[in-house]
Amino acid sequence: MRLVFLLLFVPILSVAAQQEFNRQYMPLGPGNRSTIVEIFKTIGTHPIAKGTFTQTKKLTRLGRSFVSKGNFIFSAKDGLLWNIKTPFASVLLMANDRMVQRTPDGRESVMGGNEVFKRFSHTIQAVFKGDTGLVEVEFVISFTSVDGNWYLKLEPRDKSFRSIIATMFIRGRQFIESFRIVESTGDSVDYVFSDTFFPERLSLEEEKFFAQ
C-alpha cells in the first residue's frame, strides 16, 4: 500500500531540493524541548492557512520525478484540502475521520476505513495545527536550525507505520514552507508552499466543501 500515491502527478527534482534536508539533527530532549514546542506553537497560531504548492514525486525504481501544482487550504477545525490544478485536476480532502479524493467528473475515492490512512491524516493535520504532543506520540522528533530556518525530522515509532513511511522532514520559519515524505521503498514526495496567507475564516463555499 502506498500513501503518497494518490495526490498528484510530471522534471526533475533539483540537486538543491534533494539535499535540503540532508543535515545533522539533534534528538528531542530536555535541552531543546522548549525550542521544538515553540516551533509547533508558532505553526499553530494560524488556524487557517491558504496558498499554492508544488509537489514533486520521485520514483527511485524509474529514476524519474513528476511534478504537480495547485492550491491548498488548511483549517484546524476541518482538515486539509489539496486542490490539484496540473497536470490533472483533482481534489484531495484530508479530514479528521477520512481521506477523500474527488475528480472533476464527480467520482470519489474514500479512504476512511484504513487505520494507517487515518493515522497519516491525523499526523499531517497535527503538524499543521502545531500539536507537539500528538506528533510525538507517532514520531521520534529531531531538530536543527540554519539561517533562521528550523528543520524537523520525524521518524515513525510504530512498525506498521514505518512499513509505509520511513521519515518525514519539515522546514519553516513562521509557518511550514516545505516538507518531504520518504517512503519505505525509497520513493519520496516533496512539497513546497508559496504565497501563503492566513485569513480569519473560510468562505461559505469552502466550508461546504469540507462538510461534504
Side-chain angles (χ1 to χ4, degrees):
M1 183 194 335
R2 312 178 70 74
L3 267 181
V4 222
F5 30 67
L6 301 169
L7 286 192
L8 338 165
F9 297 106
V10 201
I12 300 292
L13 193 61
S14 69
V15 173
Q18 293 183 54
Q19 295 179 343
E20 178 180 11
F21 296 106
N22 186 22
R23 304 181 181 278
Q24 294 293 321
Y25 292 83
M26 299 176 291
L28 174 63
N32 60 16
R33 173 173 288 276
S34 61
T35 301
I36 293 176
V37 169
E38 188 62 30
I39 288 172
F40 277 97
K41 182 179 178 181
T42 300
I43 297 171
T45 59
H46 306 292
I48 297 176
K50 298 182 183 180
T52 61
F53 71 88
T54 299
Q55 184 217 49
T56 304
K57 171 73 175 179
K58 184 178 181 181
L59 301 177
T60 54
R61 67 189 183 281
L62 298 179
R64 297 183 60 191
S65 296
F66 301 88
V67 177
S68 297
K69 298 183 179 182
N71 303 322
F72 76 91
I73 301 173
F74 165 70
S75 167
K77 178 174 70 73
D78 302 297
L80 264 167
L81 189 68
W82 306 90
N83 186 8
I84 301 119
K85 301 291 188 179
T86 61
F88 307 107
S90 66
V91 173
L92 181 72
L93 171 64
M94 301 175 72
N96 294 322
D97 58 348
R98 69 198 188 284
M99 290 174 63
V100 181
Q101 188 177 42
R102 298 182 179 129
T103 57
D105 60 5
R107 288 182 297 173
E108 287 191 355
S109 299
V110 181
M111 295 149 282
N114 185 286
E115 187 61 30
V116 176
F117 276 121
K118 286 183 180 179
R119 290 169 62 187
F120 176 74
S121 178
H122 288 170
T123 300
I124 293 295
Q125 291 178 66
V127 170
F128 276 80
K129 290 177 183 178
D131 189 338
T132 315
L134 197 155
V135 175
E136 193 175 2
V137 167
E138 294 285 10
F139 291 90
V140 175
I141 303 174
S142 300
F143 157 83
T144 192
S145 61
V146 180
D147 298 330
N149 292 301
W150 45 257
Y151 295 80
L152 298 173
K153 180 180 181 181
L154 309 179
E155 298 172 285
R157 296 180 182 275
D158 183 75
K159 184 177 179 180
S160 62
F161 218 157
R162 288 198 304 271
S163 68
I164 306 298
I165 297 175
T167 316
M168 289 178 59
F169 298 92
I170 306 166
R171 174 183 64 83
R173 286 178 180 258
Q174 295 303 309
F175 194 68
I176 298 169
E177 296 181 5
S178 64
F179 73 86
R180 168 179 290 180
I181 301 172
V182 181
E183 300 179 28
S184 58
T185 60
D187 293 346
S188 62
V189 180
D190 284 80
Y191 298 85
V192 177
F193 302 104
S194 57
D195 302 320
T196 304
F197 64 104
F198 310 103
E200 291 186 2
R201 59 181 60 87
L202 298 175
S203 68
L204 290 177
E205 182 180 357
E206 290 165 349
E207 288 181 348
K208 289 179 181 178
F209 201 97
F210 275 110
Q212 291 177 2

